[in-house]
Amino acid sequence: PDRDRAQVPFGPASPPSALTIHLLCCLGQVEQILSEFRLQEEDLKKVMRRMQKEMDRGLRLETHEEASVKMLPTYVRSTPEGSEVGDFLSLDLGGTNLRVMLVKVGKHQLYSIPTDAMTGTAEMLFDYISECISDFLDKHHMKHKKLPLGFTFSFPVRHEDIDKGILLNWTKGFKASGAEGNNIVGLLRDAIKRRGDFEMDVVAMINDTVATMISCYYEDRQCEVGMIVGTGCNACYMEEMHNVELVEGDEGRMCVNTEWGAFGAAGELDDFLLEYDRVVDETSLNPGQQLYEKIIGGKYMGEIVRLVLLKLKLRTRGAFETRFVSQVERYRPTPARLPYLQPLSTLGLRPSPADCDIVRLACESVSTRAAQMCSAGLGVINRMRESRLGELTRITVGVDGSVYKLHPSFKERFHASVRQLAPCCEITFIQSEEGSGRGAALVSAVACKKACMLAQ
């Protein structure tokens, strides 16, 4: 760390005080701690190679079940052409909020998910979702319409068709019993039927990464990768059908939902996990699972920083939120004003400028490691290029998620690291706007258009 920045009053003219010695010791200790977060290019290449191996195993029929990266077929083969028309309702469930959106008209509303709905029963959760849809339709005077609905559902699902998928396991703090192993679209349809005050045609269910990719593809026809870095972290991409052994057919391509957040379940990250990562994992709702996501995702980043800052007496679990990481890194201290003290002062702490520098260094170390680890996953671009015999030279990646959008430095660090690990492609990044809602509606439009063509 830059010790001049710490403004420690130490010099030959005055003997060091007890406070000065304490701060210098803290800086030395922090340097030792934070050095553990630094990753070299060879470290990232090692992670990338291990993930590529798990991706191969996830795609193959004989090794799919034991692979940590499941590579789930989405049954999304067609992309929007731009001629799709109509109003579509979309749901987006994937973090702490449920978004209900009317696409084309552009109205939407966020509904917070109550904890008892997240961790109660599946019936409670889907009854709450149905209640939110009903409320939205009431507010926009649309109860009389039977609209097509696209459902963005950001959890690991094994699809059997575009409108049928079995939930493999919950992630990101959800634990609603009775959902795992069941058809999610069926649970939603049952809840709508139980309510009985509106009708809805659920035509498609997709992952938020797929929704992001489709939404960005609408703007850039070279977008073949979708990624989320928010509460959790995941990606999808267009894979050659002859490599997707879980689905019959060899022609064309299909979008594959990697579910790479689960990478590490078989020990692939053991030599990269720090003591803070292990504490975060052990105290989570799903110990031993989603280890890659727990290094990167916004649900966990703030807690990792807090564990590093225990010397500042920040001992209340969850007290240092990930939004504080962004706030701290956005500002720099000045002698007259320390605007980024606010996240710490709201926690009842009164740190010095030197302490604030320590906090900033901790935040930067944790978020930089997250960005670099995330880039190792996008080594999938190399895989895509190899599958196309080197013909893929330009590719666009659509990205959504609060960490990517709101953290002041994450995207720049992430972009630089991706380009270092995939040097043979010209990579463009598009930040998705309302990607989950619009993408679900576009997939629904394609599904409705295909159904109409088959009916003729």
Side-chain angles (χ1 to χ4, degrees):
D2 181 357
R3 298 194 179 196
D4 291 336
R5 189 190 299 275
Q7 301 176 19
V8 178
F10 182 70
S14 58
S17 66
L19 175 62
T20 299
I21 293 172
H22 170 71
L23 287 174
L24 285 172
C25 288
C26 281
L27 284 169
Q29 184 182 23
V30 167
E31 165 62 19
Q32 182 180 2
I33 290 172
L34 297 187
S35 67
E36 298 180 310
F37 287 88
R38 294 181 193 137
L39 296 170
Q40 304 302 318
E41 183 177 353
E42 188 50 46
D43 295 325
L44 297 175
K45 287 181 177 178
K46 185 183 293 185
V47 174
M48 183 173 67
R49 287 192 295 268
R50 291 176 185 178
M51 183 175 285
Q52 292 300 303
K53 180 180 177 182
E54 285 304 297
M55 286 181 168
D56 287 337
R57 283 157 51 82
L59 286 169
R60 290 202 300 269
L61 199 57
E62 62 180 342
T63 54
H64 171 79
E65 287 300 326
E66 61 193 48
S68 64
V69 182
K70 290 301 183 187
M71 306 295 280
L72 302 170
T74 65
Y75 286 79
V76 173
R77 307 173 191 245
S78 303
T79 47
E81 299 172 351
S83 59
E84 295 79 12
V85 295
D87 288 345
F88 296 88
L89 202 68
S90 71
L91 294 180
D92 179 10
L93 177 66
T96 53
N97 294 315
L98 169 73
R99 185 190 301 272
V100 183
M101 179 182 294
L102 182 62
V103 178
K104 185 184 157 186
V105 177
K107 300 170 182 173
H108 74 274
Q109 187 164 341
L110 279 177
Y111 298 86
S112 295
I113 307 288
T115 302
D116 58 352
M118 293 172 66
T119 59
T121 66
E123 188 169 304
M124 290 168 59
L125 175 61
F126 284 91
D127 280 349
Y128 176 74
I129 293 172
S130 180
E131 178 186 335
C132 292
I133 297 172
S134 178
D135 176 74
F136 182 86
L137 293 174
D138 272 335
K139 287 179 178 177
H140 299 288
H141 311 291
M142 301 189 71
K143 275 277 180 72
H144 61 287
K145 289 188 175 183
K146 184 179 180 179
L147 293 172
L149 182 142
F151 189 10
T152 300
F153 186 74
S154 309
F155 302 91
V157 165
R158 176 170 286 117
H159 276 269
E160 297 178 5
D161 209 332
I162 191 69
D163 65 345
K164 184 178 182 181
I166 309 302
L167 175 64
L168 299 180
N169 57 275
W170 286 116
T171 59
K172 293 174 281 194
F174 279 74
K175 276 287 182 183
S177 62
E180 294 179 351
N182 284 312
N183 175 20
I184 292 301
V185 173
L187 293 174
L188 177 59
R189 286 172 175 159
D190 289 346
I192 291 171
K193 187 175 181 181
R194 276 195 302 274
R195 186 169 184 87
D197 63 341
F198 66 90
E199 290 186 79
M200 195 64 56
D201 186 14
V202 187
V203 298
M205 179 175 68
I206 59 174
N207 186 266
D208 55 352
T209 60
V210 182
T212 296
M213 184 192 76
I214 293 293
S215 177
C216 292
Y217 178 88
Y218 207 67
E219 300 175 26
D220 182 339
R221 293 298 193 262
Q222 290 183 310
C223 185
E224 296 189 60
V225 179
M227 196 177 89
I228 303 290
V229 193
T231 303
C233 181
N234 190 22
C236 71
Y237 71 103
M238 296 302 291
E239 177 61 89
E240 307 300 310
M241 273 297 296
H242 62 80
N243 290 329
V244 187
E245 294 186 6
L246 275 68
V247 178
E248 292 184 5
D250 291 334
E251 297 299 318
R253 296 174 186 142
M254 179 178 284
C255 184
V256 170
N257 167 23
T258 67
E259 285 298 337
W260 73 21
F263 177 61
E268 305 95 338
L269 290 172
D270 283 1
D271 49 340
F272 292 98
L273 295 178
L274 305 179
E275 57 182 298
Y276 320 102
D277 302 313
R278 297 185 189 281
V279 172
V280 165
D281 177 49
E282 289 164 5
T283 55
S284 69
L285 288 174
N286 54 347
Q289 301 175 32
Q290 303 298 116
L291 295 176
Y292 187 62
E293 180 173 81
K294 286 170 182 172
I295 292 175
I296 300 167
K299 183 173 178 62
Y300 312 99
M301 193 184 294
E303 179 65 3
I304 295 173
V305 172
R306 185 191 73 85
L307 291 170
V308 175
L309 298 176
L310 278 177
K311 293 295 182 182
L312 290 179
K313 309 300 181 187
L314 199 58
R315 298 188 178 276
T316 305
R317 185 167 174 262
F320 200 87
E321 301 173 29
T322 295
R323 64 188 176 92
F324 294 163
V325 178
S326 295
Q327 289 176 28
V328 166
E329 289 195 57
R330 188 170 286 115
Y331 300 111
R332 293 291 183 269
T334 65
R337 185 167 175 260
L338 296 172
Y340 77 124
L341 274 175
Q342 185 180 359
L344 304 179
S345 61
T346 59
L347 300 172
L349 301 172
R350 298 184 182 278
S352 69
D355 292 331
C356 289
D357 258 340
I358 291 173
V359 174
R360 179 180 57 80
L361 288 168
C363 290
E364 286 180 355
S365 296
V366 172
S367 64
T368 298
R369 182 188 66 152
Q372 291 177 328
M373 270 290 189
C374 191
S375 73
L378 270 195
V380 73
I381 291 172
N382 295 325
R383 174 194 177 81
M384 295 170 72
R385 189 171 185 274
E386 289 168 9
S387 293
R388 301 181 197 182
L389 304 177
E391 294 176 2
L392 184 67
T393 58
R394 297 179 62 201
I395 192 164
T396 297
V397 180
V399 195
D400 205 345
S402 55
V403 171
Y404 183 85
K405 287 183 172 181
L406 302 179
H407 188 282
S409 306
F410 184 95
K411 69 176 68 172
E412 287 78 13
R413 297 168 186 163
F414 168 68
H415 293 174
S417 191
V418 170
R419 290 179 174 126
Q420 189 176 27
L421 295 174
C424 295
C425 271
E426 181 185 334
I427 305 168
T428 301
F429 294 91
I430 294 182
Q431 183 170 297
S432 174
E433 302 299 333
E434 303 293 357
S436 291
R438 188 170 63 154
L442 288 168
V443 171
S444 299
V446 171
C448 288
K449 189 174 179 180
K450 183 178 178 181
C452 289
M453 291 173 63
L454 291 173
Q456 290 175 355

